Amino acid sequence: MIYSRIAGTGSYLPEKVLTNSDLEKMVDTTDEWIRERTGIERRHIAAEGETTVDLAERAVRAALDAAGCKPEDVDFIAFGTTTPDLWFPNCGVLLQARLGCRGVPAFSVETACSGFMYALAMADKFVRAGEARRALAIGAETLSRITDWTDRSTAVLFADGAGAVLLEPSTEPGILSTHLHADGTYKDMLYSGGGTDARKTRRAITMTGNEVFKVAVSTLSKSIDEALAANHLERSALDWLVPHQANLRIIQATARKLDLPMERVITTVQDHGNTSAASVPLALDYGVRSGKIQRGQLMLLEAFGGGFTWGSALIRY
Ligand code: ACO
């Protein structure tokens, strides 16, 4: 039996930091409101001309270094993003050209905040099937490019960054399971237009925040129970929860429903804001590099986003 395991993680955040007090000067908001409602204190914003693939390349090179692999070793690229550099070629292809691993499959996945979970699930399946040996799963975003900086209800939330993992085959798990879901009937609750549909021309992220909040909390706790049940494990077996970093209140509510103390939850939302597809791999890389997540520990990754789409991965690190 072949499993996939995480050989290395990496992440990258743009240099520019935007604090809540910076935002107070831009829209009618306060540091207190943002902290209380979201937990966010600061976030990173890409420089002019810095693209999603620029951020992803840095994260990927860090993951490859951590795994002791060279860019030309990569043989599969799954790239989660909602803010691609171009309509096409996709971000996976643009990254592949920079890494020099010509000829290997490379594609992007546009499932909003769960883009990395979808990318990871596909990379896992290709490694398990013996069709890839060094598979990259990436989440990278420049959400600042589709944020309406005059709209206080969204400007305080979204930010830029990138994270990546390199998977390799292993006789031991590794990734124990992945679960992916979508429910398109919620399509109008959270979206960004500006595509080819002339009826939805507003490109800026549009969200009914409090409605999304309620569905996110109930869906995420069910999603975690689904992953544990599929592996015949109790909630207490988890060493770490690595959740999508949209809002500290959603993370706390999810942890409460699971009776999981916050000491066992990786939180980066205070420093990163909501980086959509980049959020989970950024949090994971922080957890690994800070020494919190140790080899052999059991962790659950989960994300929820526009669509709605959501997914989880239960992983023995
Ligand atoms: N500063 C001050 N006041 C504000 C701000 C702001 N930045 N934004 C909104 N308000 C006001 C509103 O106008 C409203 O005022 P009113 O009561 O006078 O009408 C009041 O604050 C409360 O607004 P709510 O929207 O009800 O606030 P809520 O507590 O729900 O917090 C938030 C809003 C932070 C957006 C929250 O609902 C949330 O996090 N939702 C989920 C986000 C999420 O998980 N998205 C999914 C992933 S993202 C993706 O897929 C791209």
Side-chain angles (χ1 to χ4, degrees), residues 28-29 33 37-38 113 152-153 156-158 190 207 209-210 212-213 244 246-247 249-250 274 304-306:
D28 180 16
T29 192
W33 190 96
R37 302 290 179 122
T38 73
C113 296
R152 69 176 183 175
S153 68
V156 302
L157 304 174
F158 298 107
L190 172 57
M207 177 165 74
N210 42 16
V212 175
F213 189 103
H244 176 43
N247 183 317
R249 283 159 56 215
I250 296 181
N274 181 347
F304 177 90

Side-chain angles (χ1 to χ4, degrees), residues 33 61 79 94 105 168 177 179 183 192 215 223 225 227 247 255 276 290 310 314:
W33 190 96
R61 290 190 186 279
F79 194 126
L94 300 178
E168 64 181 10
S177 65
H179 288 89
D183 185 345
S192 158
V215 186
S223 168
D225 283 339
N247 183 317
S276 188
S290 63
W310 62 100
L314 190 70

Side-chain angles (χ1 to χ4, degrees), residues 222-245:
K222 277 186 222 145
S223 168
I224 294 167
D225 283 339
E226 175 188 41
L228 291 170
N231 291 280
H232 312 290
L233 289 167
E234 298 293 324
R235 293 168 175 185
S236 56
L238 281 182
D239 292 301
W240 293 104
L241 178 66
V242 186
H244 176 43
Q245 310 284 322

Side-chain angles (χ1 to χ4, degrees), residues 10-16 44 46-47 50-60 62 139-141 160-164 272 275 278 281-282 285:
S11 62
Y12 180 73
L13 290 157
E15 269 172 41
K16 184 181 168 188
H44 293 250
E50 196 172 29
T51 71
T52 296
V53 175
D54 291 334
L55 306 187
E57 183 181 359
R58 303 265 205 141
V60 163
E141 301 282 9
D160 304 336
H272 298 175
T275 58
L282 266 166
D285 189 48

Side-chain angles (χ1 to χ4, degrees), residues 104-165:
V104 309
F107 58 94
S108 58
V109 195
E110 42 164 339
T111 51
C113 296
S114 58
F116 173 76
M117 301 311 306
Y118 271 67
L120 184 71
M122 283 186 261
D124 171 54
K125 301 297 173 289
F126 271 76
V127 171
R128 276 176 177 238
E131 291 188 32
R133 290 192 57 80
R134 299 279 182 271
L136 279 173
I138 300 152
E141 301 282 9
T142 45
L143 290 179
S144 59
R145 304 269 150 71
I146 58 162
T147 298
D148 176 353
W149 291 103
T150 64
D151 173 7
R152 69 176 183 175
S153 68
T154 51
V156 302
L157 304 174
F158 298 107
D160 304 336
V165 305

Side-chain angles (χ1 to χ4, degrees), residues 52-120:
T52 296
V53 175
D54 291 334
L55 306 187
E57 183 181 359
R58 303 265 205 141
V60 163
R61 290 190 186 279
L64 290 168
D65 279 350
C69 286
K70 295 191 284 298
E72 54 271 29
D73 296 336
V74 171
D75 58 7
F76 183 90
I77 301 175
F79 194 126
T81 187
T82 16
T83 45
D85 292 18
L86 303 172
W87 279 99
F88 69 85
N90 71 71
C91 285
V93 169
L94 300 178
L95 179 72
Q96 186 219 50
R98 296 187 191 193
L99 297 179
C101 46
R102 293 173 70 181
V104 309
F107 58 94
S108 58
V109 195
E110 42 164 339
T111 51
C113 296
S114 58
F116 173 76
M117 301 311 306
Y118 271 67
L120 184 71

Side-chain angles (χ1 to χ4, degrees), residues 169-189:
S170 163
T171 49
E172 302 283 321
I175 298 188
L176 292 156
S177 65
T178 61
H179 288 89
L180 301 177
H181 295 282
D183 185 345
T185 60
Y186 290 105
K187 63 185 171 29
D188 295 323
M189 245 187 229

